[in-house]
Each structure stands twice: as structure tokens, then as C-alpha cells.
Amino acid sequence: MWFRLLYGPIVLVLLLAGACGGDDSNEESEMAAATVARATVSDEAIVTTTVVVSLTQDASAEMEEAVDGESSLDVSAGLPTATPADLGRDVIYRGTVSVRAPDVEAAAREAVSIVQGLGGFVFGQQVSSSPEPESHLTFKVMPADFMPVLDRLSSVGELVDKRITADDVTERIVDFRSRIATAEASVLRLRDLLGEAPDLENVALIERELVQRETDLETLRGRLRTLTDAVSLATIEMAILQLHEPVPETGIEVDAWVSDSDEDPCLGEEVLVTSPDSDAYFCVQVENTGEVALTDVEVTSEALRLRPQDSRTDPRPFQLVSGSFDRIEPGELLSAVLRVAISEGRIAGRVATRGGVEVGFQVSGTPVPDDGVPLDTVTNDAITFVVVAEEEGPPSFIDSVITGYRGLVRALAYIVATVGLLLPFIPVVVVIGAVYWWIRRWIRGRRSGRSIPADSRPDRSQDPPDEPRD
């Protein structure tokens, strides 16, 4: 009877001892695992815990341009020849690669085919078409196929970025296995004590502790499975982006000259001084400075009322010297000459005798690359001047009227200017005139008073008094 009373405290003591012993055994297991790991891998086989290799598009371009004799990085040697997995280490491989392809969907199908052909599979895929097509894929492959698959995926399109990560988790796996072994032993001891429990109170106490130990054990097993799964299959994340073809450069250069001779107008000047009745020869030269052919070249001139070049509608077509209005290849020249008659000092209806006329030429063309899709129209212009010298002789009636009108306007302008100049002085002139008039009157009054003698003045005292009026 007394033995049963002491059974409960004895069970508690054993449980506490088992818990303490489990902690001690964990520490001992960790030390033992570390010793085993150090003994398994020699100093020469030790690798870093994490290895990262990054390749960008700029770096690849620099490596391709490396000069002979200079050292360059071998990207294919992203991982050492003897990988950690080959040396008995548990390593988690992860890789990311980004490429650009003209057809994103076709490149994604090719990437999936490459991975499946080497025994891997697609773990996830995300496709987007806005604002531009792109595809993001996640692959799982065997660690031995990790580098070959990554290299082949990099060749699906134009490489943008490439990263490799190797994480050594050997010590963590050894630690989990040791803790699992300790937890399993603790669970077995509790199950033995549960079978020997004398009463329900002790059974409930042991069961609660057993449930906690079993829960911890399953948690450790789950974490170990997660690590071993990550080690058994390498992960590759791939992004396929839309490749934009570079737009070729386009442009034209336009020059224009004018001459009074048709021998070689393209050797003329930018300013022509000629007689009222003569001819002017304009030379327009167009150079294709772009990288693609220039088609449908049109030359217009507002001053000459020149519409786009069309021999059917324009009575003054250009005479081609070299090239063609239909197509100008890159670097080629188009030269054309236009003859315009000057009659009575007017060119295309515009008076050229008063300061001359500015004659500008506007040139436009449509660039067309090899794929046949037209690009934006390019334009440019050039300017010349035509001055017609007036002939000496009597002026015409219209010129006389114009000259007289200009003289009248000029005289009126002088009068108005003079009045405006004197207007502020008018009050001063009025005051001076008033003072002058008053002084003259005062002087005149004094002179008239002095000229009358005293005896000739009438004696008002002898005059009879005025008679009273009725």
C-alpha cells in the first residue's frame, strides 16, 4: 500500500530526469554531429555555406570584349567542379535567370521542353500580356542537372540576368536528426511508464506529457522533411520578357542653291541677284542620313506655290540630276533642278524687287526598313533668296503715286512731330505774351500822360455848376 503512495512522486522524478537528460542528450548529439561532420569532410573539401553567381547583360558584354592576354571571368564555372553534393554535403540549389525573346510564348514553350527533357517539371507559371507580354516560370530539377538546365535556359533568348545560390544545410539536417532521435527515445520511455502507471491520475499526467513530446517530434520530422525535399530538388525561377527590336535611325539632309544659268545650278549660291526678266534655276539636294531606305520623297515650296512632285499635275517638274524620288538608299544623294521664270520683277507672282523673296523648299520622305513596315515620316528644309534689281529710267505712274504718297505721309509725320515737340511750351509762350502786352500798355500810358502841358488842362473850378435835373 505504501508503495503505491510513493509511485506518483517517483514517476514525476523520472519525468523531470528524462527531460533534463533529453536536453543534455541534445547538446551531446549536436557536439557529436559536429564532430562527425568535421571528420567526414576534410579541410580541402570545405565549401562556403552560400555561393552566389550573378551575370548581367552588361557584364556579359564586357566579358565578350575582353582583349587577348587579359584575364576574364569564366561564367560557366559558376560552381566549383567538385560540388558540395559530390562531397557528401546537403546543399539547396536555387537559380534565377531572366531573358528577352521576340516571342514570349514560344520561348516559354521551349523552356518547358528543355526542363522536361532533362527530367525536371514545371512547379509554377504566371503569364501576363499587359502592358507587354511576359512569362514567369518556376522549375524543379535534380541537383545534378541544375547547371546544365540553367545554361540551356539562358540560351532561350537574350540573357538579361543570371543568379545562382547554393546554401549548405548539412549541419542543420544533422541537428534535426539528432533531436529527432532524442525525442523518439523520450517518447518510448513515456510509453513504458504509461503501461506501468498504477492509477488514473498518473495515467493522465503521463499522457499529457506524452502528447507534448509526440507533437514536438512530429514538428522536428516536418522541418527535416522540408530541408531534405529542398536538397533533393533544385529550384530555378525564370522570367521571359518581351524583346524590343531597336528602331533604326532615320533622317535627311537638305541643301538648296539658286543660279541664273542652267549649266550647273548645283554650284550656285544661296542668294541670287538677277534682272527683272530672266530665269532662276533652283537646285535641291537631298541626302539620306538614316540607316534605312527613304521612299516617296516629296519636295514642296510655299513661295513658289510648288505642290508635291507629280508630273501629271505640276507643270514645272524637277529635272533629275542624280537619284530618284521613289527611293533613296542610306548614304545616297538625290539632286534635282527646277527652272522658274522671272517676269517684270516677279517670281511665282511675288514681287522680288523690294528686298527680294525668300524661297524655301520643304522635303519629306517615308523610311521603310527591311521588314516593309513604314516608319514615321522625316522632314527637313532649305532656304534660298532671289533679289531682282530694278532697271534705271523714269518712274511709272504707279511708282510716282506711291512716291508722292510716301512724301505726304513723311511731311505730315514731321508736322505732327513738331507740334508734339512744341505743345509743352505753349503755356509759357502765352504767359510771356501776356506780360509783354501789359508792359507795353503801361509804358504807353505813361508816355501819353507826360505829353499834355499843364496850362492846356481845363479849369474845372470856373465851370458853372450843373443844373439840377427835374
Side-chain angles (χ1 to χ4, degrees):
M1 191 69 178
W2 58 271
F3 177 78
R4 291 185 177 182
L5 294 175
L6 296 175
Y7 186 79
I10 292 174
V11 171
L12 292 175
V13 172
L14 290 175
L15 290 175
L16 294 174
C20 297
D23 295 339
D24 294 339
S25 62
N26 284 341
E27 295 178 0
E28 294 174 358
S29 300
E30 292 175 358
M31 295 176 61
T35 304
V36 172
R38 285 193 296 270
T40 304
V41 184
S42 62
D43 295 339
E44 295 179 355
I46 292 177
V47 295
T48 55
T49 303
T50 304
V51 179
V52 178
V53 176
S54 175
L55 174 63
T56 61
Q57 188 175 5
D58 295 337
S60 62
E62 293 177 359
M63 287 183 289
E64 290 177 358
E65 296 175 359
V67 233
D68 296 339
E70 295 184 358
S71 61
S72 59
L73 176 63
D74 185 6
V75 180
S76 61
L79 294 178
T81 305
T83 62
D86 298 335
L87 300 175
R89 307 290 291 183
D90 294 315
V91 181
I92 298 176
Y93 292 108
R94 295 186 182 90
T96 59
V97 58
S98 299
V99 298
R100 292 187 181 274
D103 190 343
V104 175
E105 184 178 355
R109 290 196 299 267
E110 182 181 356
V112 172
S113 176
I114 291 174
V115 173
Q116 292 178 347
L118 293 177
F121 59 92
V122 180
F123 195 71
Q125 183 177 7
Q126 180 181 358
V127 180
S128 175
S129 59
S130 179
E132 59 183 21
E134 60 181 47
S135 180
H136 297 269
L137 302 102
T138 303
F139 300 112
K140 295 287 186 179
V141 297
M142 299 298 293
D145 300 327
F146 175 73
M147 285 303 298
V149 170
L150 197 61
D151 291 339
R152 294 189 61 181
L153 290 179
S154 302
S155 62
V156 169
E158 181 180 333
L159 183 61
V160 177
D161 184 74
K162 179 179 178 182
R163 298 176 184 272
I164 301 172
T165 302
D167 189 10
D168 189 351
V169 294
T170 305
E171 295 181 359
R172 294 173 61 187
I173 289 179
V174 171
D175 176 64
F176 278 127
R177 288 174 178 172
S178 176
R179 294 171 62 183
I180 288 172
T182 302
E184 288 176 347
S186 177
V187 168
L188 291 177
R189 285 198 300 270
L190 287 177
R191 288 176 179 174
D192 293 340
L193 290 176
L194 183 61
E196 298 175 1
D199 52 24
L200 293 177
E201 183 180 355
N202 293 322
V203 169
L205 179 63
I206 296 174
E207 283 182 347
R208 285 196 300 270
E209 186 66 23
L210 180 60
V211 170
Q212 182 63 38
R213 295 295 177 89
E214 289 177 344
T215 302
D216 296 341
L217 176 60
E218 292 302 323
T219 301
L220 292 173
R221 287 174 176 172
R223 296 173 67 180
L224 178 61
R225 280 194 301 271
T226 302
L227 278 179
T228 54
D229 291 343
V231 170
S232 61
L233 289 174
T235 303
I236 298 177
E237 295 183 357
M238 183 178 188
I240 304 177
L241 309 176
Q242 180 67 43
L243 176 63
H244 298 283
E245 295 293 338
V247 179
E249 294 184 2
T250 59
I252 56 174
E253 186 71 25
V254 180
D255 294 311
W257 299 275
V258 60
S259 175
D260 57 356
S261 173
D262 61 347
E263 292 183 359
D264 196 350
C266 294
L267 296 179
E269 302 291 338
E270 293 183 358
V271 180
L272 172 65
V273 180
T274 183
S275 59
D277 297 300
S278 60
D279 293 331
Y281 296 88
F282 295 92
C283 176
V284 179
Q285 189 175 73
V286 182
E287 180 183 2
N288 184 0
T289 59
E291 299 177 348
V292 297
L294 201 63
T295 61
D296 299 331
V297 180
E298 296 180 351
V299 181
T300 61
S301 175
E302 183 179 356
L304 300 180
R305 296 181 174 89
L306 183 65
R307 294 170 293 182
Q309 178 67 22
D310 190 343
S311 59
R312 292 174 299 178
T313 59
D314 198 328
R316 301 161 301 174
F318 278 94
Q319 299 295 325
L320 286 174
V321 178
S322 63
S324 171
F325 286 97
D326 296 330
R327 187 181 183 90
I328 306 177
E329 296 296 335
E332 290 186 354
L333 293 176
L334 163 66
S335 298
V337 177
L338 176 66
R339 173 184 172 273
V340 179
I342 301 176
S343 177
E344 297 182 357
R346 296 174 179 269
I347 179 170
R350 300 177 182 273
V351 178
T353 57
R354 302 183 184 96
V357 174
E358 179 183 282
V359 180
F361 294 93
Q362 296 78 39
V363 182
S364 63
T366 303
V368 179
D370 296 337
D371 57 7
V373 180
L375 302 178
D376 294 337
T377 302
V378 294
T379 60
N380 207 334
D381 53 28
I383 297 175
T384 60
F385 294 89
V386 176
V387 181
V388 175
E390 298 183 11
E391 295 181 351
E392 296 181 358
S396 62
F397 176 75
I398 296 178
D399 292 338
S400 300
V401 172
I402 294 175
T403 303
Y405 174 76
R406 290 178 179 175
L408 178 60
V409 171
R410 184 174 299 177
L412 291 176
Y414 285 138
I415 293 173
V416 171
T418 304
V419 172
L421 181 64
L422 297 178
L423 187 62
F425 299 97
I426 290 178
V428 178
V429 173
V430 171
V431 172
I432 294 174
V435 172
Y436 176 76
W437 176 80
W438 181 82
I439 291 174
R440 289 286 303 272
R441 187 173 182 183
W442 179 76
I443 294 174
R444 186 180 299 172
R446 288 180 61 85
R447 287 179 179 177
S448 61
R450 291 178 182 177
S451 61
I452 299 175
D455 296 338
S456 63
R457 294 179 182 177
D459 188 3
R460 292 180 181 267
S461 61
Q462 296 180 1
D463 292 341
D466 296 336
E467 294 180 358
R469 296 179 181 178
D470 294 338

